[in-house]
Amino acid sequence: ELLKATEEVSNIGKTGEELSKKDEELLAMKKRMEEQTKEDQQQLEVMREQLQKHEEQLSKKDEQLALLQQQLDSESKKDQQAETVKKQLSQDLASKQNALDGKERELEDLRSELESLRADQEASRDELDSLRKFKETIQSQEICSRDAAELMEDLKSGVEALESEKLNISAEAEAMTLPP
């Protein structure tokens, strides 16, 4: 029994030594874990700072994106307005082109009418020239008729004078043939 008890005490001593070693190991492990935890906390703090910086950068990028979206919306509105103005100008141009085409047609009609009037005027001039020539012919005939009438009058007067002279001569001849 004594041997057993000695053995047990010896075993307890060994166990105590083992426990002491284990305590040392546990203390060393605890120290390592505390150091690791400290390092992990430092890394975590660094990561938090990096995360905060990333969040700030993301926030700035979101603001930039919002500004870009506003600019894009503004440009889109400007594009729509420009398209509207372009359509309006296109419609105005088409309307003015139609009006211009109408004016050109009117101008062409007026040109045709002017050509017709010129042709009528030319015909009127020709007719007027013909009428002038006819008038000149009539005036010439009137002059000839007056001259002929004057000649007839002169001839009548001459015939009458001759007849009067003839009567005078006949009377003188009779008077000569009568006895004194």
Side-chain angles (χ1 to χ4, degrees):
E1 284 183 23
L2 184 61
L3 275 173
K4 275 186 185 175
T6 306
E7 220 175 282
E8 283 178 16
V9 168
S10 176
N11 282 341
I12 289 172
K14 285 180 186 175
T15 305
E17 285 175 16
E18 287 175 7
L19 283 173
S20 182
K21 280 184 183 178
K22 289 210 180 215
D23 279 345
E24 285 175 14
E25 287 176 7
L26 281 172
L27 280 173
M29 191 183 282
K30 181 180 176 188
K31 192 175 181 182
R32 280 195 309 270
M33 286 179 73
E34 283 174 353
E35 287 174 3
Q36 185 68 40
T37 304
K38 192 175 180 183
E39 286 177 14
D40 288 347
Q41 283 177 344
Q42 287 174 348
Q43 287 179 353
L44 186 62
E45 191 61 35
V46 168
M47 288 175 77
R48 278 187 189 142
E49 288 174 5
Q50 289 177 346
L51 182 63
Q52 188 174 355
K53 286 180 183 176
H54 283 302
E55 285 176 349
E56 288 173 1
Q57 288 176 349
L58 280 174
S59 177
K60 287 179 182 177
K61 286 185 179 179
D62 284 344
E63 289 174 7
Q64 290 174 346
L65 186 62
L67 284 172
L68 286 173
Q69 186 63 45
Q70 286 176 351
Q71 289 176 349
L72 184 64
D73 291 344
S74 176
E75 290 298 322
S76 178
K77 283 180 184 175
K78 286 179 183 175
D79 286 347
Q80 288 175 350
Q81 289 172 346
E83 191 63 31
T84 303
V85 169
K86 185 179 173 184
K87 283 180 184 175
Q88 185 64 43
L89 287 174
S90 179
Q91 289 173 352
D92 290 349
L93 182 63
S95 174
K96 286 180 180 176
Q97 185 63 46
N98 288 339
L100 183 62
D101 290 346
K103 294 286 182 189
E104 283 180 357
R105 283 192 294 274
E106 286 178 22
L107 185 60
E108 195 57 41
D109 291 344
L110 286 172
R111 282 185 185 140
S112 297
E113 192 174 333
L114 182 62
E115 285 299 319
S116 176
L117 287 171
R118 283 184 180 155
D120 290 349
Q121 186 181 23
E122 194 63 36
S124 296
R125 280 187 189 149
D126 291 345
E127 192 175 336
L128 185 61
D129 286 344
S130 296
L131 287 172
R132 281 186 185 141
K133 287 178 183 174
F134 184 67
K135 181 181 175 187
E136 288 171 3
T137 304
I138 288 173
Q139 285 174 342
S140 174
Q141 287 175 353
E142 284 177 355
I143 289 170
C144 289
S145 296
R146 269 189 253 134
D147 290 346
E150 287 175 6
L151 282 172
M152 286 294 284
E153 284 296 318
D154 289 346
L155 281 174
K156 261 189 194 175
S157 297
V159 168
E160 288 174 0
L162 284 173
E163 284 179 357
S164 173
E165 189 69 32
K166 183 181 171 187
L167 288 174
N168 286 338
I169 291 171
S170 294
E172 283 178 16
E174 257 182 51
M176 287 185 181
T177 56
L178 287 178

mmCIF file of all heavy atoms in Angstrom, residues 28-48:
data_model
loop_
_atom_site.group_PDB
_atom_site.id
_atom_site.type_symbol
_atom_site.label_atom_id
_atom_site.label_comp_id
_atom_site.label_asym_id
_atom_site.label_seq_id
_atom_site.Cartn_x
_atom_site.Cartn_y
_atom_site.Cartn_z
ATOM 1 N N ALA A 28 1.327 30.761 -22.179
ATOM 2 C CA ALA A 28 2.002 31.166 -23.428
ATOM 3 C C ALA A 28 0.974 31.281 -24.556
ATOM 4 O O ALA A 28 0.991 32.222 -25.374
ATOM 5 C CB ALA A 28 3.093 30.164 -23.795
ATOM 6 N N MET A 29 0.060 30.303 -24.637
ATOM 7 C CA MET A 29 -0.997 30.323 -25.672
ATOM 8 C C MET A 29 -1.889 31.532 -25.486
ATOM 9 O O MET A 29 -2.241 32.201 -26.469
ATOM 10 C CB MET A 29 -1.810 29.027 -25.585
ATOM 11 C CG MET A 29 -2.742 28.834 -26.758
ATOM 12 S SD MET A 29 -3.737 27.354 -26.560
ATOM 13 C CE MET A 29 -2.584 26.106 -27.004
ATOM 14 N N LYS A 30 -2.224 31.810 -24.167
ATOM 15 C CA LYS A 30 -3.079 32.962 -23.885
ATOM 16 C C LYS A 30 -2.384 34.250 -24.348
ATOM 17 O O LYS A 30 -2.993 35.124 -24.964
ATOM 18 C CB LYS A 30 -3.392 33.010 -22.386
ATOM 19 C CG LYS A 30 -4.297 34.156 -21.996
ATOM 20 C CD LYS A 30 -4.555 34.141 -20.507
ATOM 21 C CE LYS A 30 -5.376 35.355 -20.124
ATOM 22 N NZ LYS A 30 -5.498 35.515 -18.681
ATOM 23 N N LYS A 31 -1.025 34.314 -24.027
ATOM 24 C CA LYS A 31 -0.258 35.487 -24.414
ATOM 25 C C LYS A 31 -0.245 35.636 -25.926
ATOM 26 O O LYS A 31 -0.434 36.728 -26.483
ATOM 27 C CB LYS A 31 1.162 35.365 -23.845
ATOM 28 C CG LYS A 31 1.953 36.638 -23.948
ATOM 29 C CD LYS A 31 3.295 36.454 -23.264
ATOM 30 C CE LYS A 31 4.062 37.751 -23.344
ATOM 31 N NZ LYS A 31 5.385 37.656 -22.743
ATOM 32 N N ARG A 32 -0.002 34.478 -26.616
ATOM 33 C CA ARG A 32 0.007 34.506 -28.081
ATOM 34 C C ARG A 32 -1.367 34.934 -28.617
ATOM 35 O O ARG A 32 -1.467 35.724 -29.556
ATOM 36 C CB ARG A 32 0.401 33.133 -28.642
ATOM 37 C CG ARG A 32 1.871 32.877 -28.618
ATOM 38 C CD ARG A 32 2.247 31.690 -29.507
ATOM 39 N NE ARG A 32 1.496 30.485 -29.277
ATOM 40 C CZ ARG A 32 1.820 29.510 -28.428
ATOM 41 N NH1 ARG A 32 2.940 29.605 -27.717
ATOM 42 N NH2 ARG A 32 1.070 28.460 -28.286
ATOM 43 N N MET A 33 -2.422 34.375 -27.998
ATOM 44 C CA MET A 33 -3.769 34.723 -28.440
ATOM 45 C C MET A 33 -4.071 36.201 -28.200
ATOM 46 O O MET A 33 -4.697 36.851 -29.025
ATOM 47 C CB MET A 33 -4.816 33.836 -27.755
ATOM 48 C CG MET A 33 -4.832 32.426 -28.303
ATOM 49 S SD MET A 33 -6.020 31.406 -27.472
ATOM 50 C CE MET A 33 -7.511 32.031 -28.123
ATOM 51 N N GLU A 34 -3.601 36.727 -27.044
ATOM 52 C CA GLU A 34 -3.811 38.142 -26.770
ATOM 53 C C GLU A 34 -3.075 39.007 -27.794
ATOM 54 O O GLU A 34 -3.602 39.999 -28.300
ATOM 55 C CB GLU A 34 -3.342 38.475 -25.341
ATOM 56 C CG GLU A 34 -4.317 38.022 -24.270
ATOM 57 C CD GLU A 34 -3.768 38.239 -22.850
ATOM 58 O OE1 GLU A 34 -2.577 38.626 -22.726
ATOM 59 O OE2 GLU A 34 -4.529 38.024 -21.916
ATOM 60 N N GLU A 35 -1.799 38.576 -28.077
ATOM 61 C CA GLU A 35 -1.028 39.310 -29.086
ATOM 62 C C GLU A 35 -1.717 39.218 -30.458
ATOM 63 O O GLU A 35 -1.807 40.207 -31.190
ATOM 64 C CB GLU A 35 0.401 38.761 -29.164
ATOM 65 C CG GLU A 35 1.251 39.151 -27.980
ATOM 66 C CD GLU A 35 2.618 38.479 -27.999
ATOM 67 O OE1 GLU A 35 2.915 37.741 -28.981
ATOM 68 O OE2 GLU A 35 3.382 38.698 -27.061
ATOM 69 N N GLN A 36 -2.183 37.974 -30.778
ATOM 70 C CA GLN A 36 -2.883 37.770 -32.053
ATOM 71 C C GLN A 36 -4.149 38.612 -32.095
ATOM 72 O O GLN A 36 -4.459 39.245 -33.117
ATOM 73 C CB GLN A 36 -3.213 36.277 -32.240
ATOM 74 C CG GLN A 36 -3.834 35.933 -33.574
ATOM 75 C CD GLN A 36 -2.833 36.125 -34.697
ATOM 76 O OE1 GLN A 36 -1.650 35.795 -34.559
ATOM 77 N NE2 GLN A 36 -3.289 36.690 -35.801
ATOM 78 N N THR A 37 -4.879 38.624 -30.957
ATOM 79 C CA THR A 37 -6.102 39.415 -30.885
ATOM 80 C C THR A 37 -5.782 40.892 -31.079
ATOM 81 O O THR A 37 -6.494 41.616 -31.784
ATOM 82 C CB THR A 37 -6.823 39.188 -29.538
ATOM 83 O OG1 THR A 37 -7.078 37.799 -29.376
ATOM 84 C CG2 THR A 37 -8.108 39.968 -29.451
ATOM 85 N N LYS A 38 -4.638 41.325 -30.406
ATOM 86 C CA LYS A 38 -4.231 42.715 -30.545
ATOM 87 C C LYS A 38 -3.907 43.034 -32.010
ATOM 88 O O LYS A 38 -4.321 44.055 -32.557
ATOM 89 C CB LYS A 38 -3.024 42.976 -29.633
ATOM 90 C CG LYS A 38 -2.692 44.434 -29.467
ATOM 91 C CD LYS A 38 -1.556 44.567 -28.457
ATOM 92 C CE LYS A 38 -1.190 46.022 -28.274
ATOM 93 N NZ LYS A 38 -0.065 46.200 -27.362
ATOM 94 N N GLU A 39 -3.150 42.122 -32.645
ATOM 95 C CA GLU A 39 -2.816 42.306 -34.068
ATOM 96 C C GLU A 39 -4.083 42.309 -34.924
ATOM 97 O O GLU A 39 -4.236 43.138 -35.835
ATOM 98 C CB GLU A 39 -1.877 41.196 -34.547
ATOM 99 C CG GLU A 39 -0.459 41.347 -34.057
ATOM 100 C CD GLU A 39 0.433 40.180 -34.502
ATOM 101 O OE1 GLU A 39 0.002 39.403 -35.400
ATOM 102 O OE2 GLU A 39 1.532 40.050 -33.959
ATOM 103 N N ASP A 40 -4.977 41.343 -34.602
ATOM 104 C CA ASP A 40 -6.241 41.277 -35.352
ATOM 105 C C ASP A 40 -7.042 42.563 -35.189
ATOM 106 O O ASP A 40 -7.647 43.068 -36.149
ATOM 107 C CB ASP A 40 -7.074 40.069 -34.897
ATOM 108 C CG ASP A 40 -6.489 38.741 -35.365
ATOM 109 O OD1 ASP A 40 -5.579 38.772 -36.237
ATOM 110 O OD2 ASP A 40 -6.923 37.682 -34.866
ATOM 111 N N GLN A 41 -7.054 43.117 -33.949
ATOM 112 C CA GLN A 41 -7.793 44.369 -33.723
ATOM 113 C C GLN A 41 -7.156 45.518 -34.506
ATOM 114 O O GLN A 41 -7.847 46.358 -35.066
ATOM 115 C CB GLN A 41 -7.828 44.695 -32.225
ATOM 116 C CG GLN A 41 -8.842 43.853 -31.454
ATOM 117 C CD GLN A 41 -8.819 44.140 -29.958
ATOM 118 O OE1 GLN A 41 -7.869 44.745 -29.434
ATOM 119 N NE2 GLN A 41 -9.847 43.674 -29.277
ATOM 120 N N GLN A 42 -5.783 45.515 -34.508
ATOM 121 C CA GLN A 42 -5.103 46.554 -35.276
ATOM 122 C C GLN A 42 -5.439 46.432 -36.768
ATOM 123 O O GLN A 42 -5.733 47.419 -37.443
ATOM 124 C CB GLN A 42 -3.580 46.463 -35.059
ATOM 125 C CG GLN A 42 -3.144 46.953 -33.685
ATOM 126 C CD GLN A 42 -1.652 46.716 -33.452
ATOM 127 O OE1 GLN A 42 -0.996 45.990 -34.211
ATOM 128 N NE2 GLN A 42 -1.125 47.325 -32.391
ATOM 129 N N GLN A 43 -5.390 45.173 -37.266
ATOM 130 C CA GLN A 43 -5.739 44.943 -38.678
ATOM 131 C C GLN A 43 -7.201 45.326 -38.945
ATOM 132 O O GLN A 43 -7.536 45.921 -39.965
ATOM 133 C CB GLN A 43 -5.500 43.479 -39.063
ATOM 134 C CG GLN A 43 -4.036 43.127 -39.202
ATOM 135 C CD GLN A 43 -3.831 41.651 -39.564
ATOM 136 O OE1 GLN A 43 -4.776 40.868 -39.593
ATOM 137 N NE2 GLN A 43 -2.577 41.296 -39.836
ATOM 138 N N LEU A 44 -8.045 44.955 -37.957
ATOM 139 C CA LEU A 44 -9.470 45.292 -38.098
ATOM 140 C C LEU A 44 -9.652 46.806 -38.131
ATOM 141 O O LEU A 44 -10.446 47.321 -38.921
ATOM 142 C CB LEU A 44 -10.253 44.664 -36.937
ATOM 143 C CG LEU A 44 -11.766 44.799 -36.992
ATOM 144 C CD1 LEU A 44 -12.325 44.106 -38.232
ATOM 145 C CD2 LEU A 44 -12.413 44.227 -35.743
ATOM 146 N N GLU A 45 -8.889 47.532 -37.279
ATOM 147 C CA GLU A 45 -8.974 48.990 -37.257
ATOM 148 C C GLU A 45 -8.513 49.566 -38.604
ATOM 149 O O GLU A 45 -9.143 50.466 -39.165
ATOM 150 C CB GLU A 45 -8.117 49.534 -36.112
ATOM 151 C CG GLU A 45 -8.309 50.999 -35.819
ATOM 152 C CD GLU A 45 -9.728 51.353 -35.418
ATOM 153 O OE1 GLU A 45 -10.417 50.548 -34.745
ATOM 154 O OE2 GLU A 45 -10.169 52.460 -35.797
ATOM 155 N N VAL A 46 -7.391 48.991 -39.116
ATOM 156 C CA VAL A 46 -6.890 49.424 -40.423
ATOM 157 C C VAL A 46 -7.951 49.156 -41.498
ATOM 158 O O VAL A 46 -8.239 49.999 -42.357
ATOM 159 C CB VAL A 46 -5.551 48.714 -40.764
ATOM 160 C CG1 VAL A 46 -5.175 48.934 -42.229
ATOM 161 C CG2 VAL A 46 -4.450 49.202 -39.839
ATOM 162 N N MET A 47 -8.552 47.973 -41.425
ATOM 163 C CA MET A 47 -9.595 47.610 -42.398
ATOM 164 C C MET A 47 -10.808 48.531 -42.271
ATOM 165 O O MET A 47 -11.402 48.929 -43.268
ATOM 166 C CB MET A 47 -9.999 46.144 -42.227
ATOM 167 C CG MET A 47 -8.920 45.179 -42.707
ATOM 168 S SD MET A 47 -9.330 43.464 -42.386
ATOM 169 C CE MET A 47 -10.509 43.149 -43.660
ATOM 170 N N ARG A 48 -11.145 48.877 -40.992
ATOM 171 C CA ARG A 48 -12.264 49.809 -40.792
ATOM 172 C C ARG A 48 -11.951 51.157 -41.436
ATOM 173 O O ARG A 48 -12.805 51.761 -42.078
ATOM 174 C CB ARG A 48 -12.545 50.001 -39.301
ATOM 175 C CG ARG A 48 -13.392 48.916 -38.703
ATOM 176 C CD ARG A 48 -13.771 49.247 -37.269
ATOM 177 N NE ARG A 48 -14.403 48.117 -36.655
ATOM 178 C CZ ARG A 48 -14.245 47.726 -35.405
ATOM 179 N NH1 ARG A 48 -13.443 48.415 -34.604
ATOM 180 N NH2 ARG A 48 -14.877 46.684 -34.914
#
